Structures are given as C-alpha cells and as structure tokens.
Amino acid sequence: MRKIRAATPRCGEVLWTNASALSTREDYLNGDRVRAASVTLFPTGCEHAARGGCTMCGEWAGSNLGNRVCSEFHVAQFAAACAKLLSEEDIRWLRIYVEGSFLNDREIAPEAREVILRMASSFREIRRITIESRPEYITNAQVSSARACTRSSIELEIGIGLEAKNDFIRNICIEKATSLAAYRQAVNVIHANGIVALAYVLLKPPFVSERGAIEEAVESVAYAFEIGFDEVYVQASSIHEWSLSELLMLKGLYSPPWLWSVLEVVKRTAHLGKVKIGGLEYFPPPSKVSQNYQDIDSRLSCSCSEGIWHLIGEYNATHDADLLTKATCACRRIWQSLSMVADTNLPSQISHVLSMISVEEYIRYKHDHSNAPYPCKLH
Ligand code: SF4
Ligand SMILES: [Zn+2]
C-alpha cells in the first residue's frame, strides 16, 4: 500500500468555489423521511493512508497527498457548498466529509472545524450533522469541542470505520491498524458527550470469500451494537482507483460483493438496530460498485442490479426491511451456489494471492493506461 500511495498522481486543480463532492438524497432520520445533503471538502489526505492505509481505500487519490489544506480554503469551500444548498430549503441532515478524520487537527485545522460546524448549525431546521473520524482522534477534548460548536438542538453524529470485528480481517486483510478496545473507548467518549455513534462495517474485504464476507459482516454488525454503537452502515465494498482492491480486481482475484450478499446481511441484522446500506458515497467515486452478476466467470452485471440499488435507496429512506424481500431474479441461484464456498485458511489464501501479483506491474499499468476503458485485465 505504501508503494501505491507513493505512486498515486496528484489530482487536478481544486477550486474553493466547489466542494469536492456535493449530493442530496432521501434518508431516514428518527422515524421521518428527510432530505439529507453530503458535502466533501478537499481532503488533506488521511494520515493513515499516508502510511499505506486501508487496502480497499482510494480516497488518497482525490486528496492533497498529506499536505494540510489551509483553514481559509476549507471554510470557503464549505460556505460555497452551503450557498448551493440554500435552494434546497428542506435539508434536515448534513454530512461533512474530509475522506479521513474530521477530528484530526493535521487533516483539518481546529479553527476551520469550529467555523464549519457553526455554519452547518445555522441551516434552518437542520436536525443532524454527521462527521467521521478514526478512533484515535476521538478524545474527550476534540469531541467536546465539536459538540460545543454545534447548536445544542442538533444531533451530532460521529461515524467510525469499524470494518470488521475479526482482528485478522480488520488488520491484515484491510490494514486498518486499530484495536477493538479503541472502538469501545471511542463509543464511550462519544456517548459521554451526548453524541450519536455510527459504525461502518465493510462487506467483503479483499482476500475474503463471498460466504466468509457475509458471516463476518453479520458478526461485525452485531458486535457494533453490542459495544454501544447507535447505528451501523453496511458498506458494500467497491473498487477505487489506486488501491489494492483495484489491483486484485484487475488480476481477476477480487470483485465487489453480490447485491444478494448485501441484502442477506441486512435481513439477518436489521432486527438488532438501525442498519443502513452504504457503498456509493466516496470521493473520488468508485469505478465499480456492488452488483449482481450474470454468471460467475464473465463478471458482467445482471440487469437486476439497477433495480436492487433503487430498492436499497428506498430501504435507506424508510428502514422498511420488507422492501428488500421484493427483489427477485434468476441470478440469485448462481449466488446461492457460489456463497456456499467458505474460507478455509485465510493466511494461506492471502499468501497465494500475493504470490500472483506485482505492485510494480500495477503501478506501470496505471501510469500507461490512465484513460483505458474500464475494467481491463492485467496480463
Ligand atoms: S478507509 Fe478511512 S482510515 Fe482507511 S485509509 Fe481510507 S480514509 Fe484512511
Ligand atoms: Zn439478476
């Protein structure tokens, strides 16, 4: 991952007049269907990614490659995004992303964080603001200061990438470099400050089979609720440029999960608490997302995929799990046969996969084929 980060090219010019990403959608908030907006500010670049970071993550490619973006730029960019959202009068939920940790002073300056949260709080009838952070930056000082900058009538939510309960999957397959104790501690600090704790669980980390991924995600969602998280997003993994997942996919050694797997995890966990489905909202956007496949070998998307993503959107806006039972397609039988295959020995599976890849070959390919049609196979 360190070699991939070092080879990642700088992104094009970024202007303060536009957020790096800005989108709105329908969402479910405390019993109501509401309009929610997401604003991504030009990321400094996640400090963990600078050290190599998570194997599925390509957000470094849209960042300032670790050079801290100045306060003025972040504040101006956020103000410009707010101006664009003014025409959307009924925004009730605002998510603010830096594709890293909003509570890390080295990724966003404290004064910018304060102004941005105060500005976000001034939105008429806003009910919730969501930010994200790795657990090590969730200290009482950072969290209480963020809470103090947010109007008291607004729910503040902090999202944390738990990804997987299993230490081997989280720290070897994903390279998250976190301990479970750190998440428990973070949830305690968040709750002590009257804030909502959100966990992201990754469905199908690199190296893990479809069946292994489903079982791990189900256990991870249950664990997240057990240690006190208030809400969980099941993040259907996707492919991002300049990541190990992309390298593996190009070699035919990895693909995002079937949508049937996503539905299966939610069906088995929705009774435990508030569970949403994610996997689309990243900057830069993913080049390939979870889908159903026509058959195992071709990796072509089945025509049911679009309709199922629409159902997922409706589920996220209503939390009506019955909606997910409405999905039907003949490809489900292919998925059922595939998902019977379990992981027998992950360490040897990883060694086997690593023996078939070359990071240098991938980097050469990326530099030579920056405009190649997608997806392409390495030879
Ligand atoms: S997934 Fe999050 S913690 Fe991991 S490298 Fe990406 S931004 Fe950093
Ligand atoms: Zn299908």
Side-chain angles (χ1 to χ4, degrees):
M1 284 308 304
R2 275 197 295 273
K3 286 182 191 168
I4 293 174
R5 300 302 181 212
T8 304
R10 171 164 291 281
C11 60
E13 194 187 0
V14 184
L15 300 173
W16 68 268
T17 43
N18 291 308
S20 292
L22 176 64
S23 62
T24 57
R25 64 165 188 253
E26 301 277 297
D27 224 316
Y28 180 87
L29 179 60
N30 299 332
D32 293 324
R33 187 179 179 128
V34 300
R35 292 291 294 161
S38 301
V39 177
T40 305
L41 304 173
F42 182 35
T44 289
C46 167
E47 207 167 33
H48 179 53
R51 297 186 291 260
C54 305
T55 51
M56 73 298 183
C57 179
E59 290 167 339
W60 185 251
S63 78
N64 206 24
L65 304 182
N67 303 300
R68 194 173 81 174
V69 175
C70 70
S71 309
E72 292 86 341
F73 192 93
H74 270 152
V75 169
Q77 220 186 11
F78 188 70
C82 290
K84 292 200 171 79
L85 288 172
L86 284 179
S87 55
E88 303 249 1
E89 289 190 352
D90 53 352
I91 298 292
R92 302 280 183 271
W93 188 347
L94 192 52
R95 295 181 173 93
I96 309 167
Y97 299 137
V98 290
E99 305 307 53
S101 295
F102 194 78
L103 296 178
N104 178 5
D105 291 351
R106 290 180 292 277
E107 293 178 47
I108 176 164
E111 60 273 17
R113 191 160 56 231
E114 173 172 346
V115 172
I116 287 167
L117 286 173
R118 290 192 191 285
M119 222 189 290
S121 300
S122 68
F123 257 80
R124 229 177 318 141
E125 296 186 58
I126 191 93
R127 293 195 212 159
R128 178 181 284 188
I129 294 171
T130 300
I131 55 176
E132 299 176 326
S133 181
R134 281 177 59 86
E136 61 262 39
Y137 309 117
I138 300 179
T139 61
N140 196 53
Q142 294 297 69
V143 167
S144 60
S145 145
R147 182 61 266 183
C149 299
T150 309
R151 189 160 32 96
S152 58
S153 59
I154 297 171
E155 276 184 343
L156 182 62
E157 178 180 62
I158 301 179
I160 313 176
L162 168 64
E163 319 298 1
K165 176 192 174 193
N166 180 292
D167 285 330
F168 187 87
I169 293 181
R170 197 179 63 259
N171 286 331
I172 304 293
C173 298
I174 301 175
E175 286 189 12
K176 197 77 193 174
T178 50
S179 69
L180 291 180
Y183 293 99
R184 285 196 296 271
Q185 164 75 7
V187 172
N188 290 341
V189 171
I190 287 172
H191 283 165
N193 285 278
I195 296 174
V196 178
L198 163 70
Y200 300 107
V201 164
L202 183 71
L203 173 62
K204 206 173 174 197
F207 309 107
V208 181
S209 71
E210 199 80 19
R211 167 55 61 194
I214 293 169
E215 298 308 326
E216 177 57 29
V218 168
E219 280 184 31
S220 301
V221 174
Y223 177 76
F225 286 125
E226 195 185 304
I227 64 171
F229 278 101
D230 303 293
E231 305 195 8
V232 178
Y233 277 30
V234 174
Q235 301 286 99
S237 76
S238 45
I239 301 292
H240 298 257
E241 288 212 65
W242 296 101
S243 69
L244 188 68
S245 324
E246 184 186 51
L247 190 171
L248 296 177
M249 187 200 70
L250 291 168
K251 279 287 194 185
L253 297 166
Y254 177 77
S255 57
W258 289 62
L259 284 167
W260 297 123
S261 302
V262 180
L263 303 190
E264 174 81 7
V265 172
V266 176
K267 273 183 217 159
R268 286 170 57 183
T269 55
H271 64 283
L272 298 174
K274 293 176 189 163
V275 178
K276 278 198 211 294
I277 299 170
L280 299 177
E281 237 178 30
Y282 296 98
F283 179 76
S287 52
K288 188 169 181 163
V289 298
S290 178
Q291 57 191 15
N292 283 332
Y293 299 91
Q294 290 175 13
D295 60 66
I296 292 168
D297 294 328
S298 76
R299 294 284 153 202
L300 291 172
S301 179
C302 181
S303 56
C304 66
S305 301
E306 200 183 325
I308 294 179
W309 270 114
H310 179 74
L311 270 183
I312 288 173
E314 274 303 295
Y315 165 76
N316 280 340
T318 59
H319 277 203
D320 176 3
D322 285 346
L323 280 172
L324 303 180
T325 61
K326 296 197 186 339
T328 54
C329 184
C331 70
R332 194 164 196 279
R333 271 203 294 280
I334 304 171
W335 167 79
Q336 277 170 325
S337 61
L338 176 101
S339 65
M340 295 307 285
V341 183
D343 295 305
T344 45
N345 185 338
L346 258 182
S348 68
Q349 247 167 262
I350 292 174
S351 301
H352 178 62
V353 167
L354 292 182
S355 71
M356 291 193 285
I357 63 168
S358 155
V359 172
E360 287 73 17
E361 180 193 31
Y362 168 68
I363 291 169
R364 269 198 311 278
Y365 171 86
K366 290 295 290 176
H367 285 309
D368 293 350
H369 296 78
S370 53
N371 295 316
Y374 206 90
C376 304
K377 283 219 169 185
L378 283 173
H379 296 294

PDB file of all heavy atoms in Angstrom, residues 1 5 45-50 52-60 98-101 107 132-134 136 161 163 174-176 282, ligand 1:
ATOM      1  N   MET A   1       0.838  -1.200   0.000  1.00  0.00           N
ATOM      2  CA  MET A   1       0.000   0.000   0.000  1.00  0.00           C
ATOM      3  C   MET A   1       0.874   1.253   0.000  1.00  0.00           C
ATOM      4  O   MET A   1       0.546   2.250  -0.635  1.00  0.00           O
ATOM      5  CB  MET A   1      -0.944   0.013   1.223  1.00  0.00           C
ATOM      6  CG  MET A   1      -2.138  -0.913   1.111  1.00  0.00           C
ATOM      7  SD  MET A   1      -3.109  -0.705  -0.409  1.00  0.00           S
ATOM      8  CE  MET A   1      -3.565   1.007  -0.397  1.00  0.00           C
ATOM      9  N   ARG A   5       0.509   4.306  -2.620  1.00  0.00           N
ATOM     10  CA  ARG A   5       0.292   5.719  -2.223  1.00  0.00           C
ATOM     11  C   ARG A   5       1.372   6.613  -2.831  1.00  0.00           C
ATOM     12  O   ARG A   5       1.096   7.703  -3.323  1.00  0.00           O
ATOM     13  CB  ARG A   5       0.322   5.888  -0.704  1.00  0.00           C
ATOM     14  CG  ARG A   5      -0.710   5.122   0.082  1.00  0.00           C
ATOM     15  CD  ARG A   5      -2.137   5.428  -0.293  1.00  0.00           C
ATOM     16  NE  ARG A   5      -3.017   4.637   0.556  1.00  0.00           N
ATOM     17  CZ  ARG A   5      -4.186   4.151   0.219  1.00  0.00           C
ATOM     18  NH1 ARG A   5      -4.681   4.393  -0.981  1.00  0.00           N
ATOM     19  NH2 ARG A   5      -4.907   3.451   1.058  1.00  0.00           N
ATOM     20  N   GLY A  45      -5.877  14.436   3.102  1.00  0.00           N
ATOM     21  CA  GLY A  45      -5.406  13.063   2.903  1.00  0.00           C
ATOM     22  C   GLY A  45      -5.305  12.405   4.265  1.00  0.00           C
ATOM     23  O   GLY A  45      -4.680  12.954   5.184  1.00  0.00           O
ATOM     24  N   CYS A  46      -5.951  11.270   4.390  1.00  0.00           N
ATOM     25  CA  CYS A  46      -5.981  10.550   5.668  1.00  0.00           C
ATOM     26  C   CYS A  46      -4.556  10.230   6.128  1.00  0.00           C
ATOM     27  O   CYS A  46      -3.739   9.746   5.343  1.00  0.00           O
ATOM     28  CB  CYS A  46      -6.790   9.275   5.469  1.00  0.00           C
ATOM     29  SG  CYS A  46      -6.623   8.099   6.807  1.00  0.00           S
ATOM     30  N   GLU A  47      -4.289  10.525   7.408  1.00  0.00           N
ATOM     31  CA  GLU A  47      -2.953  10.295   7.952  1.00  0.00           C
ATOM     32  C   GLU A  47      -2.573   8.804   7.899  1.00  0.00           C
ATOM     33  O   GLU A  47      -1.413   8.455   7.703  1.00  0.00           O
ATOM     34  CB  GLU A  47      -2.934  10.791   9.400  1.00  0.00           C
ATOM     35  CG  GLU A  47      -1.578  11.221   9.858  1.00  0.00           C
ATOM     36  CD  GLU A  47      -1.637  11.984  11.171  1.00  0.00           C
ATOM     37  OE1 GLU A  47      -2.506  11.686  12.010  1.00  0.00           O
ATOM     38  OE2 GLU A  47      -0.789  12.875  11.364  1.00  0.00           O
ATOM     39  N   HIS A  48      -3.576   7.955   8.063  1.00  0.00           N
ATOM     40  CA  HIS A  48      -3.311   6.513   7.998  1.00  0.00           C
ATOM     41  C   HIS A  48      -2.981   6.107   6.549  1.00  0.00           C
ATOM     42  O   HIS A  48      -2.096   5.284   6.312  1.00  0.00           O
ATOM     43  CB  HIS A  48      -4.544   5.755   8.513  1.00  0.00           C
ATOM     44  CG  HIS A  48      -4.410   4.271   8.471  1.00  0.00           C
ATOM     45  ND1 HIS A  48      -3.351   3.591   9.032  1.00  0.00           N
ATOM     46  CD2 HIS A  48      -5.206   3.311   7.908  1.00  0.00           C
ATOM     47  CE1 HIS A  48      -3.499   2.299   8.830  1.00  0.00           C
ATOM     48  NE2 HIS A  48      -4.605   2.088   8.142  1.00  0.00           N
ATOM     49  N   ALA A  49      -3.657   6.714   5.589  1.00  0.00           N
ATOM     50  CA  ALA A  49      -3.365   6.415   4.178  1.00  0.00           C
ATOM     51  C   ALA A  49      -1.939   6.856   3.832  1.00  0.00           C
ATOM     52  O   ALA A  49      -1.251   6.202   3.042  1.00  0.00           O
ATOM     53  CB  ALA A  49      -4.374   7.104   3.266  1.00  0.00           C
ATOM     54  N   ALA A  50      -1.495   7.947   4.430  1.00  0.00           N
ATOM     55  CA  ALA A  50      -0.129   8.423   4.159  1.00  0.00           C
ATOM     56  C   ALA A  50       0.900   7.358   4.550  1.00  0.00           C
ATOM     57  O   ALA A  50       1.989   7.301   3.980  1.00  0.00           O
ATOM     58  CB  ALA A  50       0.137   9.719   4.920  1.00  0.00           C
ATOM     59  N   GLY A  52       0.313   4.186   4.178  1.00  0.00           N
ATOM     60  CA  GLY A  52      -0.078   2.993   3.423  1.00  0.00           C
ATOM     61  C   GLY A  52      -1.592   2.863   3.505  1.00  0.00           C
ATOM     62  O   GLY A  52      -2.286   3.011   2.530  1.00  0.00           O
ATOM     63  N   GLY A  53      -2.072   2.616   4.703  1.00  0.00           N
ATOM     64  CA  GLY A  53      -3.513   2.675   4.949  1.00  0.00           C
ATOM     65  C   GLY A  53      -4.290   1.484   4.445  1.00  0.00           C
ATOM     66  O   GLY A  53      -3.732   0.429   4.115  1.00  0.00           O
ATOM     67  N   CYS A  54      -5.594   1.670   4.373  1.00  0.00           N
ATOM     68  CA  CYS A  54      -6.514   0.551   4.147  1.00  0.00           C
ATOM     69  C   CYS A  54      -6.470   0.076   2.689  1.00  0.00           C
ATOM     70  O   CYS A  54      -6.413   0.882   1.757  1.00  0.00           O
ATOM     71  CB  CYS A  54      -7.925   0.953   4.543  1.00  0.00           C
ATOM     72  SG  CYS A  54      -7.997   1.560   6.239  1.00  0.00           S
ATOM     73  N   THR A  55      -6.541  -1.234   2.532  1.00  0.00           N
ATOM     74  CA  THR A  55      -6.310  -1.849   1.224  1.00  0.00           C
ATOM     75  C   THR A  55      -7.416  -1.573   0.197  1.00  0.00           C
ATOM     76  O   THR A  55      -7.187  -1.685  -0.997  1.00  0.00           O
ATOM     77  CB  THR A  55      -6.165  -3.373   1.383  1.00  0.00           C
ATOM     78  OG1 THR A  55      -7.280  -3.857   2.142  1.00  0.00           O
ATOM     79  CG2 THR A  55      -4.889  -3.744   2.093  1.00  0.00           C
ATOM     80  N   MET A  56      -8.621  -1.234   0.694  1.00  0.00           N
ATOM     81  CA  MET A  56      -9.727  -1.009  -0.253  1.00  0.00           C
ATOM     82  C   MET A  56      -9.912   0.472  -0.563  1.00  0.00           C
ATOM     83  O   MET A  56     -10.770   0.846  -1.343  1.00  0.00           O
ATOM     84  CB  MET A  56     -11.039  -1.588   0.304  1.00  0.00           C
ATOM     85  CG  MET A  56     -11.682  -0.815   1.440  1.00  0.00           C
ATOM     86  SD  MET A  56     -10.633  -0.715   2.904  1.00  0.00           S
ATOM     87  CE  MET A  56     -11.672   0.142   4.063  1.00  0.00           C
ATOM     88  N   CYS A  57      -9.120   1.340   0.080  1.00  0.00           N
ATOM     89  CA  CYS A  57      -9.400   2.781   0.046  1.00  0.00           C
ATOM     90  C   CYS A  57      -8.583   3.486  -1.024  1.00  0.00           C
ATOM     91  O   CYS A  57      -7.361   3.324  -1.103  1.00  0.00           O
ATOM     92  CB  CYS A  57      -9.094   3.383   1.418  1.00  0.00           C
ATOM     93  SG  CYS A  57      -9.362   5.157   1.486  1.00  0.00           S
ATOM     94  N   GLY A  58      -9.266   4.314  -1.836  1.00  0.00           N
ATOM     95  CA  GLY A  58      -8.572   5.081  -2.869  1.00  0.00           C
ATOM     96  C   GLY A  58      -8.793   6.573  -2.696  1.00  0.00           C
ATOM     97  O   GLY A  58      -8.561   7.347  -3.621  1.00  0.00           O
ATOM     98  N   GLU A  59      -9.223   6.972  -1.497  1.00  0.00           N
ATOM     99  CA  GLU A  59      -9.550   8.390  -1.289  1.00  0.00           C
ATOM    100  C   GLU A  59      -8.312   9.286  -1.321  1.00  0.00           C
ATOM    101  O   GLU A  59      -8.412  10.482  -1.571  1.00  0.00           O
ATOM    102  CB  GLU A  59     -10.337   8.537   0.025  1.00  0.00           C
ATOM    103  CG  GLU A  59     -11.734   7.936  -0.133  1.00  0.00           C
ATOM    104  CD  GLU A  59     -12.486   7.740   1.175  1.00  0.00           C
ATOM    105  OE1 GLU A  59     -11.850   7.688   2.242  1.00  0.00           O
ATOM    106  OE2 GLU A  59     -13.718   7.626   1.122  1.00  0.00           O
ATOM    107  N   TRP A  60      -7.156   8.673  -1.081  1.00  0.00           N
ATOM    108  CA  TRP A  60      -5.887   9.420  -1.168  1.00  0.00           C
ATOM    109  C   TRP A  60      -5.750  10.078  -2.545  1.00  0.00           C
ATOM    110  O   TRP A  60      -5.200  11.160  -2.685  1.00  0.00           O
ATOM    111  CB  TRP A  60      -4.750   8.427  -0.899  1.00  0.00           C
ATOM    112  CG  TRP A  60      -3.372   8.982  -0.833  1.00  0.00           C
ATOM    113  CD1 TRP A  60      -2.371   8.810  -1.746  1.00  0.00           C
ATOM    114  CD2 TRP A  60      -2.796   9.768   0.221  1.00  0.00           C
ATOM    115  NE1 TRP A  60      -1.223   9.435  -1.334  1.00  0.00           N
ATOM    116  CE2 TRP A  60      -1.454  10.034  -0.129  1.00  0.00           C
ATOM    117  CE3 TRP A  60      -3.290  10.286   1.426  1.00  0.00           C
ATOM    118  CZ2 TRP A  60      -0.597  10.795   0.672  1.00  0.00           C
ATOM    119  CZ3 TRP A  60      -2.436  11.038   2.224  1.00  0.00           C
ATOM    120  CH2 TRP A  60      -1.115  11.282   1.850  1.00  0.00           C
ATOM    121  N   VAL A  98     -14.250  14.683   5.028  1.00  0.00           N
ATOM    122  CA  VAL A  98     -12.922  15.066   4.510  1.00  0.00           C
ATOM    123  C   VAL A  98     -12.169  13.819   4.044  1.00  0.00           C
ATOM    124  O   VAL A  98     -10.959  13.844   3.878  1.00  0.00           O
ATOM    125  CB  VAL A  98     -12.072  15.846   5.552  1.00  0.00           C
ATOM    126  CG1 VAL A  98     -12.632  17.235   5.795  1.00  0.00           C
ATOM    127  CG2 VAL A  98     -11.953  15.074   6.868  1.00  0.00           C
ATOM    128  N   GLU A  99     -12.905  12.713   3.837  1.00  0.00           N
ATOM    129  CA  GLU A  99     -12.316  11.439   3.407  1.00  0.00           C
ATOM    130  C   GLU A  99     -11.095  11.095   4.260  1.00  0.00           C
ATOM    131  O   GLU A  99     -10.009  10.785   3.768  1.00  0.00           O
ATOM    132  CB  GLU A  99     -11.951  11.484   1.918  1.00  0.00           C
ATOM    133  CG  GLU A  99     -13.105  11.871   0.992  1.00  0.00           C
ATOM    134  CD  GLU A  99     -14.374  11.035   1.173  1.00  0.00           C
ATOM    135  OE1 GLU A  99     -14.870  10.926   2.322  1.00  0.00           O
ATOM    136  OE2 GLU A  99     -14.891  10.502   0.169  1.00  0.00           O
ATOM    137  N   GLY A 100     -11.315  11.181   5.538  1.00  0.00           N
ATOM    138  CA  GLY A 100     -10.282  10.913   6.530  1.00  0.00           C
ATOM    139  C   GLY A 100     -10.916  11.210   7.880  1.00  0.00           C
ATOM    140  O   GLY A 100     -12.051  10.815   8.115  1.00  0.00           O
ATOM    141  N   SER A 101     -10.213  11.943   8.726  1.00  0.00           N
ATOM    142  CA  SER A 101     -10.712  12.190  10.082  1.00  0.00           C
ATOM    143  C   SER A 101     -10.963  13.667  10.321  1.00  0.00           C
ATOM    144  O   SER A 101     -10.023  14.472  10.378  1.00  0.00           O
ATOM    145  CB  SER A 101      -9.709  11.666  11.106  1.00  0.00           C
ATOM    146  OG  SER A 101      -9.613  10.258  10.997  1.00  0.00           O
ATOM    147  N   GLU A 107      -5.436  17.089   9.637  1.00  0.00           N
ATOM    148  CA  GLU A 107      -6.192  16.969   8.379  1.00  0.00           C
ATOM    149  C   GLU A 107      -7.125  18.168   8.170  1.00  0.00           C
ATOM    150  O   GLU A 107      -7.403  18.545   7.041  1.00  0.00           O
ATOM    151  CB  GLU A 107      -6.996  15.659   8.367  1.00  0.00           C
ATOM    152  CG  GLU A 107      -6.100  14.434   8.312  1.00  0.00           C
ATOM    153  CD  GLU A 107      -6.887  13.133   8.338  1.00  0.00           C
ATOM    154  OE1 GLU A 107      -7.865  13.000   7.593  1.00  0.00           O
ATOM    155  OE2 GLU A 107      -6.506  12.238   9.125  1.00  0.00           O
ATOM    156  N   GLU A 132     -16.897  12.300  10.487  1.00  0.00           N
ATOM    157  CA  GLU A 132     -16.263  10.975  10.583  1.00  0.00           C
ATOM    158  C   GLU A 132     -14.872  11.106  11.190  1.00  0.00           C
ATOM    159  O   GLU A 132     -14.217  12.147  11.040  1.00  0.00           O
ATOM    160  CB  GLU A 132     -16.072  10.375   9.185  1.00  0.00           C
ATOM    161  CG  GLU A 132     -17.339  10.158   8.419  1.00  0.00           C
ATOM    162  CD  GLU A 132     -17.087   9.651   7.004  1.00  0.00           C
ATOM    163  OE1 GLU A 132     -16.066  10.036   6.380  1.00  0.00           O
ATOM    164  OE2 GLU A 132     -17.899   8.866   6.518  1.00  0.00           O
ATOM    165  N   SER A 133     -14.430  10.028  11.828  1.00  0.00           N
ATOM    166  CA  SER A 133     -13.072  10.044  12.376  1.00  0.00           C
ATOM    167  C   SER A 133     -12.588   8.627  12.657  1.00  0.00           C
ATOM    168  O   SER A 133     -13.378   7.751  12.990  1.00  0.00           O
ATOM    169  CB  SER A 133     -13.035  10.842  13.681  1.00  0.00           C
ATOM    170  OG  SER A 133     -11.726  10.878  14.201  1.00  0.00           O
ATOM    171  N   ARG A 134     -11.293   8.433  12.544  1.00  0.00           N
ATOM    172  CA  ARG A 134     -10.695   7.212  13.081  1.00  0.00           C
ATOM    173  C   ARG A 134     -10.758   7.291  14.605  1.00  0.00           C
ATOM    174  O   ARG A 134     -10.786   8.396  15.167  1.00  0.00           O
ATOM    175  CB  ARG A 134      -9.232   7.087  12.610  1.00  0.00           C
ATOM    176  CG  ARG A 134      -9.085   6.577  11.184  1.00  0.00           C
ATOM    177  CD  ARG A 134      -7.619   6.540  10.756  1.00  0.00           C
ATOM    178  NE  ARG A 134      -6.792   5.702  11.606  1.00  0.00           N
ATOM    179  CZ  ARG A 134      -6.632   4.379  11.444  1.00  0.00           C
ATOM    180  NH1 ARG A 134      -7.237   3.753  10.452  1.00  0.00           N
ATOM    181  NH2 ARG A 134      -5.859   3.685  12.256  1.00  0.00           N
ATOM    182  N   GLU A 136      -8.611   6.909  17.018  1.00  0.00           N
ATOM    183  CA  GLU A 136      -7.538   7.511  17.828  1.00  0.00           C
ATOM    184  C   GLU A 136      -7.675   9.022  17.999  1.00  0.00           C
ATOM    185  O   GLU A 136      -7.046   9.608  18.869  1.00  0.00           O
ATOM    186  CB  GLU A 136      -6.152   7.159  17.262  1.00  0.00           C
ATOM    187  CG  GLU A 136      -5.863   7.634  15.850  1.00  0.00           C
ATOM    188  CD  GLU A 136      -6.095   6.533  14.815  1.00  0.00           C
ATOM    189  OE1 GLU A 136      -7.062   5.764  14.967  1.00  0.00           O
ATOM    190  OE2 GLU A 136      -5.313   6.468  13.838  1.00  0.00           O
ATOM    191  N   GLY A 161     -14.975   3.926  11.093  1.00  0.00           N
ATOM    192  CA  GLY A 161     -14.815   2.686  10.315  1.00  0.00           C
ATOM    193  C   GLY A 161     -14.389   1.541  11.217  1.00  0.00           C
ATOM    194  O   GLY A 161     -13.209   1.373  11.500  1.00  0.00           O
ATOM    195  N   GLU A 163     -15.252  -1.592  10.327  1.00  0.00           N
ATOM    196  CA  GLU A 163     -14.974  -2.508   9.199  1.00  0.00           C
ATOM    197  C   GLU A 163     -15.226  -3.973   9.528  1.00  0.00           C
ATOM    198  O   GLU A 163     -16.042  -4.602   8.881  1.00  0.00           O
ATOM    199  CB  GLU A 163     -13.540  -2.359   8.646  1.00  0.00           C
ATOM    200  CG  GLU A 163     -13.003  -0.930   8.531  1.00  0.00           C
ATOM    201  CD  GLU A 163     -13.774  -0.030   7.582  1.00  0.00           C
ATOM    202  OE1 GLU A 163     -14.762  -0.461   6.978  1.00  0.00           O
ATOM    203  OE2 GLU A 163     -13.381   1.161   7.451  1.00  0.00           O
ATOM    204  N   ILE A 174      -7.558  -5.787   5.663  1.00  0.00           N
ATOM    205  CA  ILE A 174      -7.906  -4.379   5.418  1.00  0.00           C
ATOM    206  C   ILE A 174      -6.752  -3.443   5.786  1.00  0.00           C
ATOM    207  O   ILE A 174      -6.645  -2.351   5.227  1.00  0.00           O
ATOM    208  CB  ILE A 174      -9.188  -4.000   6.221  1.00  0.00           C
ATOM    209  CG1 ILE A 174     -10.359  -4.896   5.802  1.00  0.00           C
ATOM    210  CG2 ILE A 174      -9.547  -2.529   6.030  1.00  0.00           C
ATOM    211  CD1 ILE A 174     -11.634  -4.684   6.602  1.00  0.00           C
ATOM    212  N   GLU A 175      -5.902  -3.850   6.701  1.00  0.00           N
ATOM    213  CA  GLU A 175      -4.834  -2.985   7.231  1.00  0.00           C
ATOM    214  C   GLU A 175      -5.379  -1.736   7.920  1.00  0.00           C
ATOM    215  O   GLU A 175      -4.926  -0.615   7.684  1.00  0.00           O
ATOM    216  CB  GLU A 175      -3.851  -2.561   6.121  1.00  0.00           C
ATOM    217  CG  GLU A 175      -2.947  -3.695   5.701  1.00  0.00           C
ATOM    218  CD  GLU A 175      -1.820  -3.242   4.767  1.00  0.00           C
ATOM    219  OE1 GLU A 175      -1.606  -2.029   4.618  1.00  0.00           O
ATOM    220  OE2 GLU A 175      -1.186  -4.119   4.202  1.00  0.00           O
ATOM    221  N   LYS A 176      -6.366  -1.946   8.788  1.00  0.00           N
ATOM    222  CA  LYS A 176      -6.983  -0.806   9.466  1.00  0.00           C
ATOM    223  C   LYS A 176      -6.095  -0.268  10.588  1.00  0.00           C
ATOM    224  O   LYS A 176      -6.178   0.917  10.937  1.00  0.00           O
ATOM    225  CB  LYS A 176      -8.352  -1.254  10.037  1.00  0.00           C
ATOM    226  CG  LYS A 176      -9.267  -0.104  10.408  1.00  0.00           C
ATOM    227  CD  LYS A 176      -9.901   0.501   9.177  1.00  0.00           C
ATOM    228  CE  LYS A 176     -10.565   1.821   9.466  1.00  0.00           C
ATOM    229  NZ  LYS A 176     -11.039   2.458   8.240  1.00  0.00           N
ATOM    230  N   TYR A 282     -18.322   8.076  -2.005  1.00  0.00           N
ATOM    231  CA  TYR A 282     -16.895   8.258  -1.760  1.00  0.00           C
ATOM    232  C   TYR A 282     -16.393   9.334  -2.707  1.00  0.00           C
ATOM    233  O   TYR A 282     -16.970   9.578  -3.761  1.00  0.00           O
ATOM    234  CB  TYR A 282     -16.110   6.981  -2.073  1.00  0.00           C
ATOM    235  CG  TYR A 282     -16.446   5.810  -1.191  1.00  0.00           C
ATOM    236  CD1 TYR A 282     -17.350   4.838  -1.626  1.00  0.00           C
ATOM    237  CD2 TYR A 282     -15.866   5.661   0.058  1.00  0.00           C
ATOM    238  CE1 TYR A 282     -17.664   3.750  -0.832  1.00  0.00           C
ATOM    239  CE2 TYR A 282     -16.172   4.575   0.864  1.00  0.00           C
ATOM    240  CZ  TYR A 282     -17.067   3.623   0.413  1.00  0.00           C
ATOM    241  OH  TYR A 282     -17.379   2.550   1.202  1.00  0.00           O
TER     242      TYR A 282
HETATM  243  S1  SF4 B   1     -10.599   3.843   4.840  1.00  0.00           S
HETATM  244 FE1  SF4 B   1     -10.525   5.636   6.192  1.00  0.00          FE
HETATM  245  S2  SF4 B   1      -8.878   5.149   7.656  1.00  0.00           S
HETATM  246 FE2  SF4 B   1      -8.600   3.769   5.935  1.00  0.00          FE
HETATM  247  S3  SF4 B   1      -7.121   4.806   4.596  1.00  0.00           S
HETATM  248 FE3  SF4 B   1      -9.194   5.335   3.867  1.00  0.00          FE
HETATM  249  S4  SF4 B   1      -9.722   7.254   4.858  1.00  0.00           S
HETATM  250 FE4  SF4 B   1      -7.978   6.354   5.995  1.00  0.00          FE
END
